[in-house]
Amino acid sequence: MRFRRVRPRRIGGLQPHKAQEITPRFLDRTIRALKRWKYDIVTMDEVSSGRFRRPSRSRFAALTFDDATRI
């Protein structure tokens, strides 16, 4: 999952990146849901290094922020 920025909801005028922002509450709920659904949360370094080995039936998620994707 890729998120641009985590910040509290703001009220006001110019917010050009609002569609790419999530609140801390949303992030917390996302992490809890992934854990409840038995996803392993891993880093992008683990995914891209090739060293990450998971059991064949397990699922994983790598959360990235600020467009920090490597793959």
Side-chain angles (χ1 to χ4, degrees), residues 4-61:
R4 176 101 183 177
R5 181 178 294 165
V6 179
R7 69 180 330 154
R9 188 173 309 276
R10 295 182 298 159
I11 298 172
L14 182 63
Q15 297 183 47
H17 300 293
K18 184 177 181 179
Q20 299 169 342
E21 296 176 349
I22 62 168
T23 64
R25 181 173 183 238
F26 181 85
L27 176 61
D28 184 58
R29 291 176 67 183
T30 300
I31 291 170
R32 282 198 241 166
L34 289 169
K35 288 180 178 181
R36 186 173 59 249
W37 298 329
K38 305 214 183 306
Y39 275 78
D40 293 327
I41 299 174
V42 300
T43 67
M44 287 302 293
D45 285 338
E46 290 174 302
V47 173
S48 65
S49 72
R51 293 183 305 231
F52 178 63
R53 301 282 184 247
R54 68 189 200 306
S56 62
R57 294 200 156 202
S58 72
R59 297 182 288 185
F60 71 94

